[in-house]
Each structure stands twice: as structure tokens, then as C-alpha cells.
Amino acid sequence: EISSLFSSQSNTKIQLFSDCCHIIRYMYIEPTVKMEEVDGEELVKKFAEEMEGMLGRKMKSVKRLAEAAEDADLYHEFNATLEFDYYNSMLINSVDKDGNAIELGGEFPLEENEHFNKLQVNTLQSDIQVPTNVYNKDPGILNGVYMSEALNDVFVDNFQKDPTLTWQYFGSAAGFFRLYPGIAWTPDENGVVTFDCRNRNWYIQAATSPKDIIIVVDVSGSMKGLRLTIAKHTINTILDTLGENDFVNVIAYSDYVQYVEPCFKGTLVQADLDNREHFKLLVEELQVKGEGKVKKAMKESFKILNEGSLCNQAIMLITDGAMEDYEEVFQEFNWPERRVRVFTYLIGREVTFADTVKWIACNNKGYYTHVSTLADVQENVMEYLHVLSRPMVINHDHDIIWTEAYMDSAAQSLLLMTSVAMPVFSKKKETLSHGILLGVVGTDVPLRELMRLAPRYKLGVHGYAFLNTNNGYILAHPALRPLYKEGKKLKPKPNYNSVDLAEVEWEDTDETLRTAMVKGETGTLSLDVRATVEKGRRVMFLKNDYFYTTINETPFSLGMVLTRGHGEYIFIGNVSVKEGLNDLMQPDVSIANEWTYCETDIDPHHRKLTQLQAVFRYLTGKEPDLECDEKLLRQTLFDAVVTAPMEAYWTALMLNPSGMDEGVETAFLGTRSGLMRVSRYVGIEKRVAKKFLSPSDKENIFTMDHFPVWYRRAAEYPAGKFLYYIPKEDTRGRDYFLSAPPHTVVIVFFPVCDCLPVWD
């Protein structure tokens, strides 16, 4: 058939497509193929089980760290005169003018590691980060660092048991941060390190259970000037210690009670990022006037909290003094149970009212602090976390927590992560009744690695999987784009981790899907959706079937989408390994390097292998220990064989100029297994679309997040119709794509003059 095509001397671009369609004929090997219906309910449960297993291994690692830290502290005696040199991540490998290692520096070997985002790391040892505002040789720091040296062996052992682990760490209540693997910490442009592990969500959530907080701030006339500035900073710092599992409101008082947000009057709102930032903007607008009357504000606060939950409840009173007879308020609303703790922050240098403000805190199971300068705010605010953690410490409630999605700024990367963390308590008999929190241990889980457990080839061209939290926020979703470009730098968007499921699955107008997933239910749902491609410039009308279930032992739910038509069935074929490898290793063939054909991240020796190299070494028996997806490999080999005639055809056209019109730059095709065949007819210097199909051209290659845009659009076109497509990038109005019928997905790229119309 190929020879007859060549003899026809076809010389039109449309004929080229027809020729390609004739070549790719699955009927030739029809006896070896079959269609399988995809069982969405079983598939989503299988994905959830695999994710549960992966996350379970992370939890076991964290438990081992917590046990080791508590045992190390149990046998450590505090030494006020301890002298101990440790590896400070800011000072390692630094020398003085004479070439000698500086104090707390020393030689700390670092080497680039693929597994850790190509950062320079030391996988044999951890090192210590200390914030600029914490003295790095304070006795509390030195004793904590010395005690926690015992974690080094556990870090390494955990990593050997589970090579998919990333960063492991111990955040101390004293302020230091032990990180494995060790890295050189980079200060900001001002040469300071503002990172404080105690401010991180994983630390705060693990140290305290969910809480209801009312922040009450004095805005009477005596709070003018610096006092109001300190008060506002204190409010913002308290808000920064809250997360989406907490609830909050802010009340200002002088002669009367004023909610900073009138819409939230008489209630608590979720302390998600949007609400916290909203409160901060309103707090900034507060003005002082009148006389401070705290009694009404305290009554209002207790009324709200008495209608709240049974979790930790607290009132944060920020004032420069209290002169009223406020005792009867506590007698009416809080005594004798003292269920609501009251924390007081005395603002300013004057201490005239220190005794009365301290009395309020001490008689309501709270904590009193004196905040005289802006520099005092951070440390003083953090004290309330230790008080709220005491019941957990005394009861030894080792609750494991999972955080919402966040950018891994500590590790200097822009990967979306979730963290699993656990509190570390003192087990010494003499301190058991005091409830001393030593710190928090944790590890990060890149969400990208978690989503690899729901491979795209099983979901079809428009299918995808997604994760959300029990608060309804997206953890991972193809439509979640958390970064934006500022100049040449990528930066996180504001509120990138508080995107609600209803904002991306917006056809779920009744929130049936969202409600079920928030409740952790298992079920199915069908929706007519309008899916966009080309960054929202094109719309496709699809019928989607949603399947969802909970991931046990976590606050997460997994959702999965299969599209009617392409998502309902999967095409299975068998060919011999020898035949398949021969066609797979041809120079015009590539596979999706972001997909997991073989797991290269378990053994460090495999981390530099591309997916194609790993597949070859596994199938030839050179690396039999590689863990590979047998079903995907079988499908890939099959696709390599049935599309192999294209290579000869395209080569023959290249050698026979009369067989093709001028202007064709590239011929290519893609298959569901992520396989691509690409034939270049002109060199890079003559190409108009130089970026097209390159690794940086994410829109037009197979990625973790999507099938190529031309593949998705062509798949929805009627058989026998051609798609004319103009990509926005690198076109300048000249470049077009054409695609053949969806069952072949053969596409040719070529430039045309500006005068031709756009066909769609």
C-alpha cells in the first residue's frame, strides 16, 4: 500500500493526511487487539488505595521521627554552659580572611541531587537554620540542637526505607529548624533570614488543635500613634498563625463595640487566606477615638464563642490598659469552667495597668505579655500557641496533621507541596504536668508525585484526577495554575492555595460534588461541561462522569473525571517485546518524559535516566529491578509497532521532493500511550515555529497535566473533517496546524501566508 501511495505522486497537503490515515490501520492486527470498558468506580478506588499507601509511608516516617525526638529529650539533661559546634546552614563552607572555617561553619559536602529539584544537598546529614532574630548560641538553642542530633540517623534510615521521601525536618519550640538533607540556606536580598519554622502552617496546626479565636482590640484615644501601629501588627501576626481549620473574628472597641467587618457581625468565619487578608486590610483602616470600654466587647465575644464549637476557644485582648469593673463578665460567661482562654497583650512602654491586664489572663487560663515595641510582637504572639498546646501535651495526643497546598519556599523551589506533621512532647516525669511542647516533626509530599499515581493514559484524552481537602479547597487540579510571571521570574499568585472546588468545577452549580467530597463520601455524578483549551480561547462541550472517594487516614478526597466517548474505553493490543523495542527505539520516536513508564526515583542510580532509557534498560533485562507499569509498556510497544510505517512513509516523502509541497516543516502524530513520532523536513534555522514540540512547548506535548492541545481538539472533531488551528505563541499570524480524523490523530504543521482565512 505504501508503494502505491508513492506512485500516486500526491502533492497536496490534504492528500498527505489521507495517505497517513490509510497507513495507520489497526485492522491489520485486529486479532491481537481488544477494547476494554473503563470501570470508573473501581479505578478511583484503586487510585485512592495507592495514594493512601504512599501517604501512609510518609506518616510512618514522621512517627519514627517523633519517637526518636522524645526519647532523645528524655535522656538529655539541660546544660546551661553547654558548648557545641553544629552546622549552621547560613555559615557552612564559609571561611574567614585567613582561609579558616568560621564558627558554626565547617566543611559540609554538598552535591546536586535530581530527587531534590537539582539542589545542592547533603543526603548523609542534616543542618540547622536559625532565624536572624534568634541568637544561634543561646543555651536553649545549643541544648536543643545537641539533643536533636539523634534525628540524623532516623532521617537517613527513613530515606533508605522510602526513597520517595523529600524534605524531613524538626521545628523546635526554641526557634531552630533541623532540615534533612542539609542545604546551604540563602538569605533574602537584605542578608537576613526571616523564615521561622514556628510560623509555618505545619508547625501551628500540629502544635494546636483547631481553634475559635476572637481578636479584641482597643481603639480608644490613648492608643494613638505607635501604640496603634503595634496593635495592628499584633493582630496581623495572630491572623498569620491561623489556618483553614480555625475560625476567627475581629472586634474593635472604644465607647462602643465595632466589628471590623460588619458582614461578619455576631459570628465566626473560617480563617482561610482570603478572610485573613480581608481582615488585615480592614484593620489597617482603624482609627482611634473615644474612651476604652472593654466590658461590652468582652460580653460580645463570649456570646459568639458560647455558640461556637467545642474546640479550643480564646479571646485575644489587645489594649494599653483596662480600668472598668470587668469581673462580672467572666463570672457570667466563663467561670467556673473557664472554657474560653483569654490572652492579653499590653501595648506600649507604660506598665500602669500591667497588674489588671495580667489578672484577666491568669484568671481565665490564658497568658499575659507586654509588647512595648514592634520587634517584640513576633515572639510574644507565639507564646499563645504553647498554652493552647498544653492539653494535647499533657494527654499525649499525637495527632497527625496534613496541611493545605503550599509553595515550598523553604527549599527554594516552586513545587506545590502538602506536609504531614506531628507534635513532639516532653516525656520527663518532672514536666508531664506542665505540658511542654518540644517542637514539631514533619515531611513534605510533592503533590506532583502523588498525582503520578493516577496516570493520564488510564483516564483518556480529556480525563483527569484531582484532590481537595475536607474544607473544599483544591489540593491538586489541572485547572489550578498557582504561578504567574513577573518579568522573568515565576511567583505564587495571591490566595493560590485557597481555591475552592466550586471555582474550578463550576458546572457543579448545586455543589453536589463539592458537598459529597467535603463529607468524605464515595459516589458518582454526571455533568455537562464546557471545557476550555488553549488557555481559555477555545471551548469544548463534553459529558463528564465524576467518580470520587475519600483517602483514608487523611483529610483529602480524590476525584476522577472520565469523558463519555474517549474516556469510556481503552484500546489494548499485544506485540512482542523484540518487535516493539525495535520500533520504539527509532530516532523519530519519543515518549512522555513526565509520565511514569518506569519508576526512576526509587534507586539513586536511576534518577538520571530518561523514561525512554529506563524503558529500554528494563525491557532488555539490564535493569530488571526497575518498577514499571506493565500495562502502559504493553500499550506503548503496541503503538510503536502499528505506527512504524509512518517513519518509512515520511522518509520517502523527504527523499522524493515531488511527493510533497514546499512549506511543510514537521509531520507528527501522538497516541494515548504518550508516544510521539516526529519527522522534521527542515532544519532549525529554517523553521518558523522553532519552539513547536520542544520540551518547553508544554501546550503541544504530553505532560502530567494534559494531552497536547492539538490532540484534545482533534479528538472532538468529526471523522473526515480537518482542523485548522493557529497557536498563539510563535505565530505572528503565519502558522497553522491541521489534524486528521480523531481515530488517527495525525497532524502536520506548516506556515502559510497572512492572507489565508482561519478555518475552525
Side-chain angles (χ1 to χ4, degrees):
E1 184 168 354
I2 291 175
S3 61
S4 67
L5 286 170
F6 293 153
S7 64
S8 68
Q9 298 288 314
S10 59
N11 60 2
T12 68
K13 297 175 182 66
I14 298 300
Q15 185 62 45
L16 172 65
F17 286 121
S18 300
D19 296 346
C20 294
C21 298
H22 284 298
I23 291 173
I24 304 179
R25 297 269 186 146
Y26 289 110
M27 66 179 65
Y28 293 138
I29 48 172
E30 200 168 10
T32 67
V33 301
K34 62 178 179 178
M35 297 289 286
E36 286 186 0
E37 187 171 358
V38 178
D39 188 331
E41 294 181 56
E42 284 301 313
L43 193 58
V44 75
K45 287 178 184 176
K46 181 183 176 185
F47 288 163
E49 287 170 2
E50 290 176 354
M51 290 181 180
E52 182 186 338
M54 177 188 178
L55 298 178
R57 290 190 293 273
K58 313 306 176 196
M59 288 190 281
K60 286 180 181 177
S61 296
V62 168
K63 287 178 181 177
R64 286 193 285 265
L65 288 173
E67 290 169 3
E70 290 183 353
D71 288 343
D73 175 73
L74 180 61
Y75 299 109
H76 172 73
E77 292 295 330
F78 186 86
N79 181 357
T81 60
L82 177 67
E83 293 185 7
F84 177 64
D85 285 335
Y86 60 88
Y87 287 111
N88 186 305
S89 59
M90 283 279 290
L91 305 173
I92 56 173
N93 300 328
S94 299
V95 295
D96 59 22
K97 59 182 180 180
D98 299 321
N100 300 316
I102 64 174
E103 192 175 25
L104 302 184
E107 186 178 348
F108 193 78
L110 298 170
E111 61 179 19
E112 186 178 292
N113 191 298
E114 294 278 334
H115 181 65
F116 292 94
N117 204 34
K118 297 186 177 179
L119 289 175
Q120 297 278 330
V121 302
N122 184 332
T123 55
L124 299 178
Q125 202 162 7
S126 61
D127 61 1
I128 303 295
Q129 178 267 340
V130 182
T132 301
N133 64 336
V134 176
Y135 179 42
N136 57 25
K137 296 197 75 174
D138 179 271
I141 296 292
L142 290 178
N143 276 268
V145 170
Y146 180 79
M147 175 274 291
S148 63
E149 283 284 298
L151 294 179
N152 267 320
D153 291 340
V154 186
F155 285 142
V156 175
D157 186 55
N158 278 345
F159 191 41
Q160 289 174 345
K161 288 178 177 174
D162 180 7
T164 65
L165 277 171
T166 55
W167 308 101
Q168 302 175 68
Y169 39 81
F170 169 59
S172 165
F176 72 84
F177 181 57
R178 182 178 287 279
L179 179 65
Y180 173 87
I183 62 170
W185 203 279
T186 306
D188 63 21
E189 60 271 14
N190 299 314
V192 298
V193 177
T194 56
F195 177 88
D196 188 329
C197 63
R198 295 168 297 177
N199 294 339
R200 305 297 287 180
N201 252 355
W202 52 266
Y203 185 99
I204 294 166
Q205 289 182 36
T208 62
S209 55
K211 47 199 172 291
D212 296 339
I213 302 288
I214 302 283
I215 302 173
V216 180
V217 59
D218 183 352
V219 290
S220 62
S222 62
M223 287 285 289
K224 65 182 177 181
L226 180 60
R227 290 183 181 183
L228 184 61
T229 302
I230 295 173
K232 289 178 178 179
H233 186 42
T234 302
I235 295 172
N236 290 343
T237 306
I238 293 172
L239 288 171
D240 285 337
T241 66
L242 305 179
E244 59 185 42
N245 292 322
D246 305 316
F247 285 78
V248 67
N249 207 334
V250 182
I251 293 175
Y253 73 91
S254 55
D255 296 312
Y256 59 94
V257 174
Q258 164 194 356
Y259 284 87
V260 297
E261 173 50 83
C263 294
F264 298 157
K265 182 178 180 179
T267 189
L268 292 163
V269 295
Q270 189 176 22
D272 58 28
L273 189 58
D274 289 339
N275 285 334
R276 296 199 308 267
E277 293 302 314
H278 184 59
F279 276 129
K280 287 180 183 179
L281 291 174
L282 296 172
V283 165
E284 196 57 40
E285 297 172 3
L286 289 175
Q287 302 292 328
V288 297
K289 59 181 177 180
E291 183 182 347
K293 296 183 178 179
V294 70
K295 191 173 178 179
K296 291 180 181 178
M298 296 301 287
K299 275 188 176 181
E300 188 71 18
S301 301
F302 279 117
K303 285 178 182 178
I304 296 173
L305 292 174
N306 285 342
E307 295 176 1
S309 65
L310 297 177
C311 61
N312 271 326
Q313 294 189 322
I315 296 172
M316 309 300 200
L317 176 60
I318 303 167
T319 181
D320 64 344
M323 295 176 287
E324 289 182 274
D325 179 16
Y326 38 74
E327 185 173 339
E328 65 180 56
V329 177
F330 303 126
Q331 289 176 338
E332 180 181 355
F333 292 99
N334 206 36
W335 293 350
E337 294 87 357
R338 291 173 170 78
R339 190 168 58 85
V340 178
R341 296 177 184 269
V342 181
F343 296 85
T344 55
Y345 300 87
L346 182 64
I347 304 297
R349 296 189 182 278
E350 296 293 330
V351 292
T352 307
F353 300 101
D355 289 341
T356 55
V357 175
K358 187 184 295 183
W359 183 92
I360 293 174
C362 294
N363 283 275
N364 290 279
K365 298 172 68 175
Y367 192 88
Y368 158 81
T369 56
H370 180 208
V371 188
S372 57
T373 67
L374 284 169
D376 296 336
V377 172
Q378 186 68 48
E379 283 294 319
N380 286 326
V381 165
M382 298 307 295
E383 289 295 337
Y384 95 85
L385 294 174
H386 297 286
V387 177
L388 289 187
S389 71
R390 283 175 188 161
M392 292 175 57
V393 179
I394 293 170
N395 295 329
H396 264 60
D397 294 333
H398 282 88
D399 292 335
I400 286 185
I401 63 95
W402 289 91
T403 68
E404 71 270 23
Y406 69 94
M407 287 292 173
D408 185 22
S409 59
Q412 306 161 26
S413 68
L414 287 174
L415 296 175
L416 269 181
M417 298 275 193
T418 180
S419 292
V420 55
M422 190 174 182
V424 177
F425 307 135
S426 172
K427 295 198 297 187
K428 293 177 179 176
K429 289 183 180 179
E430 62 271 23
T431 63
L432 280 178
S433 61
H434 301 292
I436 294 178
L437 175 75
L438 300 174
V440 173
V441 291
T443 186
D444 294 339
V445 181
L447 293 170
R448 189 177 182 82
E449 298 307 312
L450 191 59
M451 296 310 293
R452 285 184 186 275
L453 299 177
R456 295 204 64 83
Y457 81 94
K458 291 186 178 181
L459 304 175
V461 56
H462 303 302
Y464 57 90
F466 59 94
L467 291 165
N468 69 290
T469 70
N470 56 3
N471 287 307
Y473 294 127
I474 290 295
L475 200 68
H477 195 290
L480 180 65
R481 299 179 183 88
L483 300 174
Y484 74 99
K485 250 187 178 179
E486 189 175 277
K488 292 185 178 180
K489 285 188 175 181
L490 286 172
K491 292 189 174 181
K493 295 177 182 176
N495 308 340
Y496 69 89
N497 58 356
S498 59
V499 179
D500 197 277
L501 180 63
E503 295 178 59
V504 289
E505 298 293 346
W506 55 276
E507 282 93 351
D508 182 30
T509 52
D510 296 328
E511 296 194 355
T512 306
L513 175 66
R514 182 192 185 280
T515 302
M517 294 188 72
V518 165
K519 291 181 177 179
E521 296 175 355
T522 297
T524 65
L525 177 71
S526 295
L527 291 172
D528 292 309
V529 302
R530 284 158 285 184
T532 63
V533 294
E534 295 183 65
K535 298 179 181 177
R537 289 190 291 272
R538 305 285 180 180
V539 177
M540 295 182 295
F541 297 89
L542 306 172
K543 180 79 171 180
N544 282 350
D545 291 323
Y546 291 79
F547 304 87
Y548 51 88
T549 190
T550 187
I551 300 176
N552 295 326
E553 307 298 323
T554 76
F556 309 141
S557 284
L558 171 67
M560 187 187 80
V561 174
L562 296 178
T563 302
R564 298 278 176 90
H566 298 289
E568 291 180 295
Y569 301 93
I570 190 166
F571 196 80
I572 304 296
N574 280 308
V575 295
S576 70
V577 171
K578 181 179 180 181
E579 184 183 13
L581 262 183
N582 179 65
D583 290 326
L584 184 63
M585 301 311 296
Q586 296 306 310
D588 70 322
V589 176
S590 65
I591 57 176
N593 209 45
E594 290 189 12
W595 292 14
T596 306
Y597 297 81
C598 291
E599 182 55 72
T600 57
D601 207 29
I602 295 177
D603 188 331
H605 296 100
H606 297 150
R607 286 180 182 143
K608 291 190 181 295
L609 295 176
T610 66
Q611 283 296 309
L612 188 58
Q613 290 169 338
V615 167
F616 176 78
R617 295 183 71 82
Y618 173 73
L619 292 176
T620 54
K622 294 179 179 178
E623 298 284 355
D625 295 331
L626 272 167
E627 292 183 13
C628 298
D629 187 327
E630 297 286 348
K631 193 170 184 178
L632 178 56
L633 289 187
R634 187 166 70 248
Q635 197 170 338
T636 305
L637 293 178
F638 174 77
D639 288 348
V641 170
V642 298
T643 62
M646 294 306 305
E647 179 190 8
Y649 178 56
W650 287 338
T651 302
L653 285 178
M654 192 180 301
L655 298 174
N656 181 15
S658 62
M660 187 189 312
D661 283 354
E662 292 182 4
V664 175
E665 288 190 0
T666 306
F668 58 98
L669 63 85
T671 74
R672 181 168 174 158
S673 66
L675 178 141
M676 284 190 66
R677 287 188 177 273
V678 179
S679 182
R680 303 286 191 183
Y681 286 94
V682 294
I684 186 67
E685 70 285 348
K686 291 185 178 181
R687 276 183 231 149
V688 173
K690 293 180 172 59
K691 182 184 173 185
F692 182 62
L693 298 183
S694 69
S696 62
D697 183 21
K698 295 290 186 180
E699 278 290 293
N700 289 299
I701 61 174
F702 292 89
T703 71
M704 276 279 294
D705 296 327
H706 58 69
F707 276 62
V709 64
W710 43 266
Y711 196 115
R712 284 176 286 162
R713 292 195 63 197
E716 292 306 309
Y717 250 63
K721 299 283 186 178
F722 290 93
L723 171 68
Y724 293 76
Y725 157 53
I726 308 177
K728 187 175 181 181
E729 293 81 8
D730 296 335
T731 61
R732 297 177 297 280
R734 296 179 300 176
D735 305 336
Y736 288 74
F737 290 91
L738 296 171
S739 73
H743 59 278
T744 60
V745 195
V746 179
I747 304 174
V748 172
F749 169 86
F750 67 98
V752 297
C753 70
D754 293 333
C755 58
L756 287 184
V758 179
W759 292 37
D760 191 0

